[in-house]
Amino acid sequence: MPMEIVRLIKKDWKKLNELYRTVSSDLKKDGVCQWDWFYPNRFVIGGDVKRGTVYGIRDSGLII
């Protein structure tokens, strides 16, 4: 099964949250203060998921 870009849904929440934490940490290490502990928060991310505006890569059934 090839990798594909897919719209993320509620069941992908855990992986999506991990991604935001990783990116936020990396940005902070590089001196970029774009994201922090407050933004994006679960309400922002949840709203994006509900609106269907969050996409990710699915590889062999897993979000990567």
Side-chain angles (χ1 to χ4, degrees):
M1 174 186 272
M3 284 191 264
E4 59 183 333
I5 297 173
V6 296
R7 184 178 290 149
L8 300 182
I9 58 175
K10 191 175 181 177
K11 76 173 190 162
D12 300 317
W13 175 263
K14 184 176 179 181
K15 280 296 200 180
L16 181 58
N17 197 35
E18 289 173 13
L19 173 67
Y20 275 111
R21 275 196 245 145
T22 299
V23 171
S24 180
S25 177
D26 287 349
L27 287 171
K28 186 175 180 180
K29 287 177 191 174
D30 291 338
V32 178
C33 299
Q34 180 175 346
W35 290 353
D36 56 24
W37 63 272
F38 182 72
Y39 181 85
N41 58 45
R42 64 187 176 107
F43 300 108
V44 172
I45 297 168
D48 291 344
V49 170
K50 284 181 184 177
R51 283 188 298 281
T53 58
V54 180
Y55 290 81
I57 298 173
R58 191 175 307 276
D59 184 20
S60 299
L62 300 173
I63 296 297
I64 58 170

